[in-house]
Amino acid sequence: MHANYVIKRLLQIIPTFLAVMLVVFLLVRLLPGDPASAILGDRATEEVVERTNRALGLDKPLPVQFGIFVGNLLQGNLGDSISLKVPVLRLILERLPTTLFLTAYAAVLGVLMAVPLAVLAAVRRNTWVDALIRGVFQVGLSLPVFYVALQLLTLLGARLGWFPIGGYGEGFTGHLYHLFLPALTLGLNLAAILVRTLRNSVIEVLGAEYVEFARAKGLRGRVILGRHVLRNALIATVTLLGLNIGALIGGAVITETVFAIPGVGRLMVDAIFGRDYPVIQGLTLTFAVIVSVVFLITDLIHARLDPRAELS
């Protein structure tokens, strides 16, 4: 059953991939300016700009350009970066591990903050503890990611000097140290989303009949919490993480720029400012594949944790 479901979902990714490919191809060409002007600068003559566009193949009609793009993509070729003069696939493979590490790091921090606080808020619901937890994270949810990033960088990085204000570090522990502030930035935003939903889920579980039955049998509160409540909280956490992976990647674009991290998020920003069409297209397609695969893995884990869930 799971194998058939996986095959079905993988086949469903194909039309999604094609739709994203077409939309991105058209959207990047709606950006103001063009790659030739970005490369040559404002002082370039119109003749030089036209010659450069012709050399880049940007003078051809859009359907022809799209056909070339699809043909190259089917051969595993994402093209070459217009500004960096290297294959786009090589750039992505070099920088993607950094962004994936940052995203996973942020997800771990977000879960470590959200789950215990959400359970505490649910157990102490309608008390000052509950109100404080919800209030703090509601404020955190309303703050833009870039603002939180700048505040953490200024306070914990520049003023107190506890953490580096940029870079990726060397080795696993170096990565953990250098990426703590950007991961905390994303983790706080994720935790704010998780706390609100998990609190409601835990409250619902605490009022369920089987929990009342467990209390009637004389089971201790800690046993009920661990055996029933936390299991259901884990299911909700996995689902929410899967649904918010796109937001984490989007947040990584901002945090990598603020903290000067050499990941695909910063590469995307540089490509947009440089009108580097092949890089923008390649990165967007990569993000689409990652999100689709994460959604699939989330469904499989959810079905594993909750046998009542059906894969269809």
Side-chain angles (χ1 to χ4, degrees), residues 3-21:
N4 293 334
Y5 176 77
V6 171
I7 294 173
K8 179 181 177 182
R9 285 293 300 271
L10 288 176
L11 291 176
Q12 289 175 349
I13 291 177
I14 296 176
T16 302
F17 190 77
L18 292 175
V20 170
M21 184 166 50

Side-chain angles (χ1 to χ4, degrees), residues 215-227:
R215 289 197 186 100
K217 287 173 59 178
L219 290 180
R220 299 174 60 185
R222 290 183 181 180
V223 176
I224 295 174
L225 194 65
R227 187 176 298 176

Side-chain angles (χ1 to χ4, degrees), residues 226-260:
R227 187 176 298 176
H228 300 291
V229 177
L230 290 182
R231 180 180 178 85
N232 283 274
L234 179 60
I235 295 172
T237 301
V238 169
T239 303
L240 286 170
L241 276 177
L243 293 175
N244 284 282
I245 190 65
L248 277 178
I249 293 177
V253 173
I254 299 172
T255 54
E256 286 182 2
T257 303
V258 173
F259 290 96

Side-chain angles (χ1 to χ4, degrees), residues 50 59 76 97-98 106 133 159 163 192 201 208 217 225 256 283 292-293 297 306 308:
E50 290 179 358
D59 61 324
T98 304
I133 292 174
R159 291 185 181 176
F163 298 97
S201 176
K217 287 173 59 178
L225 194 65
E256 286 182 2
L283 287 175
S292 298
V293 171
I297 295 174
D306 187 1
R308 297 170 299 176

Side-chain angles (χ1 to χ4, degrees), residues 20 39 46 48 74 86 95 129 154 228 278:
V20 170
I39 294 171
E46 185 175 341
V48 175
L74 292 176
V86 296
R95 301 201 182 197
V129 175
T154 302
H228 300 291

Side-chain angles (χ1 to χ4, degrees), residues 171-194:
F172 182 75
T173 55
H175 298 336
L176 289 177
Y177 179 55
H178 279 74
L179 293 181
F180 179 77
L181 290 183
L184 181 61
T185 300
L186 296 175
L188 286 170
N189 186 263
L190 177 64
I193 299 172
L194 294 177

